[in-house]
Amino acid sequence: MNILETVRGRQTIAISGHIGPDGDCVGSCLGMALYLRKNMPEAQVDVYLGDFSDALRRNIPGTETIIYDYKPRAEKYDAFIALDCGRERLGDAQDMFDRADLTVNIDHHVSNPGTGMINFVDGNASSACEMAYLTMDPDLVDRETAQALYVGMVTDTGVFRYSNTSERTMQTAGRLMTYGFDYPAIVREVFYEKTFTQQKLLGIALERARSEYGGLVIASLLDWKTQHSLGAAKKDIDGISAQLALTEGADCAILLYATATGEWKGSLRSNRYVDVAAICQNFRGGGHVRAAGCTMYGDGEKALEKLIGAAGDQLRKQGLC
Ligand SMILES: [Mn+2]
């Protein structure tokens, strides 16, 4: 697909991605918008997205032009480009998509059959950003567009570590780097950097961590008093269980943390053997086999014991302990 040819002559173009936008979603939408604004200066190009993190805002050029209130800035768009999702995850932008004269869908989710009149969907691509770049003429891409796309590639591949990273991914990323932006800063700020509160909480969770079943299960608990004294919010907890799961020899990580209302939230991760979705389904939760969550009540220590025991049961059944 050549996106300039695809939307040639269209005067009003809307761009949007999925609700709860991540780095790939914001990066692909802004990368596309910056590219079209530069190469189709006569067109009105509007981006509609929900809110996202400050780190993404600082590192993706053009976020100040995003329309967050989803109030349509055109009666009916000549073209609508959906990135990083199909029509069903567009949220409040769905109506604009349905009314547009031309709909284009660029995505990398296997589950998306292609919901536009014109589709460019590849379930093997690392990111919507990788695909967006393939629709562009490299000579017409500028540094800002390249930077926006690079952010999305970094986040969706976990800094080129996940199995979705292909030879083409690395070649595309390498090509983007030639446009000359500060790529070490992007990797640090959008992927590795944590707030001081996040660091303190992680430190406390690690310090209190228990190693069970010969190190196969690592578990920790954060009570409400600890979180409250640090002024911590839900987002400060994110990433702790993933960090626990990086312990050598560990298969399953369990973090149990209290919420303001006195309930407990379990955040579970596993590397190879334990099906954490199955565990969480027994405690008002669910998720994926390798990452899941649940809600528990009563005494925190006892709740943690139950989760540890459930992981142990699975490991025992598989003859691992
Ligand atoms: Mn994506």
Side-chain angles (χ1 to χ4, degrees):
M1 175 187 286
N2 178 324
I3 195 64
L4 288 176
E5 275 174 24
T6 304
V7 298
R8 185 194 302 270
R10 309 278 168 173
Q11 287 302 311
T12 55
I13 302 171
I15 297 175
S16 190
H18 56 80
I19 44 171
D22 55 13
D24 185 33
C25 180
V26 183
S28 58
C29 288
L30 262 305
M32 183 58 76
L34 293 165
Y35 180 74
L36 295 180
R37 282 173 190 153
K38 181 177 175 234
N39 297 297
M40 293 176 71
E42 69 290 352
Q44 173 191 336
V45 181
D46 297 330
V47 180
Y48 296 86
L49 284 174
D51 202 17
F52 45 83
S53 74
D54 289 341
L56 291 178
R57 212 178 315 282
R58 279 198 307 274
N59 284 281
I60 297 176
T63 52
E64 69 282 357
T65 66
I66 291 173
I67 299 166
Y68 294 103
D69 63 16
Y70 282 86
K71 286 199 188 99
R73 301 302 200 263
E75 186 84 36
K76 181 162 95 67
Y77 280 97
D78 295 336
F80 189 113
I81 306 174
L83 286 138
D84 202 28
C85 69
R87 178 194 173 277
E88 68 289 346
R89 289 179 71 207
L90 285 173
D92 290 340
Q94 224 172 52
D95 204 42
M96 285 181 264
F97 180 91
D98 291 341
R99 291 156 53 88
D101 285 334
L102 172 74
T103 53
V104 181
N105 194 183
I106 300 171
D107 192 14
H108 71 120
H109 289 94
V110 207
S111 52
N112 183 359
T115 59
M117 296 169 197
I118 300 176
N119 301 293
F120 184 45
V121 178
D122 177 1
N124 289 316
S126 70
S127 52
C129 284
E130 179 179 335
M131 300 198 55
Y133 184 70
L134 297 174
T135 73
M136 299 174 183
D137 179 343
D139 294 334
L140 300 179
V141 170
D142 63 10
R143 193 184 60 191
E144 292 199 318
T145 298
Q147 178 170 337
L149 297 178
Y150 191 80
V151 169
M153 294 193 71
V154 163
T155 49
D156 258 26
T157 60
V159 196
F160 311 109
R161 291 176 306 149
Y162 303 154
S163 58
N164 62 358
T165 307
S166 68
E167 184 185 348
R168 188 181 72 186
T169 308
M170 299 307 280
Q171 279 166 349
T172 306
R175 188 74 205 254
L176 290 174
M177 288 161 78
T178 65
Y179 293 92
F181 48 83
D182 188 355
Y183 45 85
I186 288 174
V187 170
R188 186 182 65 243
E189 289 187 26
V190 304
F191 200 82
Y192 290 106
E193 220 170 70
K194 291 174 168 30
T195 63
F196 187 60
T197 305
Q198 281 175 316
Q199 300 279 43
K200 294 280 277 188
L201 268 183
L202 174 62
I204 293 167
L206 290 171
E207 207 270 324
R208 294 180 185 168
R210 295 163 49 183
S211 171
E212 304 288 341
Y213 304 106
L216 281 164
V217 176
I218 305 293
S220 193
L221 183 145
L222 286 172
D223 58 276
W224 178 246
K225 222 176 110 188
T226 303
Q227 295 175 64
H228 190 68
S229 67
L230 291 169
K234 162 80 180 73
K235 64 173 167 42
D236 298 312
I237 308 274
D238 291 345
I240 293 180
S241 54
Q243 184 63 40
L244 292 173
L246 284 173
T247 310
E248 184 181 17
D251 181 62
C252 179
I254 303 170
L255 176 73
L256 195 68
Y257 62 96
T259 70
T261 53
E263 58 187 12
W264 296 88
K265 293 280 183 191
S267 171
L268 284 75
R269 296 286 181 280
S270 80
N271 296 321
R272 285 178 76 182
Y273 304 112
V274 176
D275 178 349
V276 290
I279 294 176
C280 290
Q281 271 152 25
N282 284 326
F283 302 102
R284 302 170 199 84
H288 305 282
V289 178
R290 300 279 164 256
C294 61
T295 305
M296 299 172 85
Y297 301 92
D299 183 72
E301 294 291 347
K302 281 185 189 149
L304 187 62
E305 286 303 331
K306 279 185 196 163
L307 293 174
I308 293 170
D313 288 345
Q314 284 196 26
L315 291 165
R316 212 172 290 117
K317 272 187 199 136
Q318 296 177 61
L320 294 161
C321 66

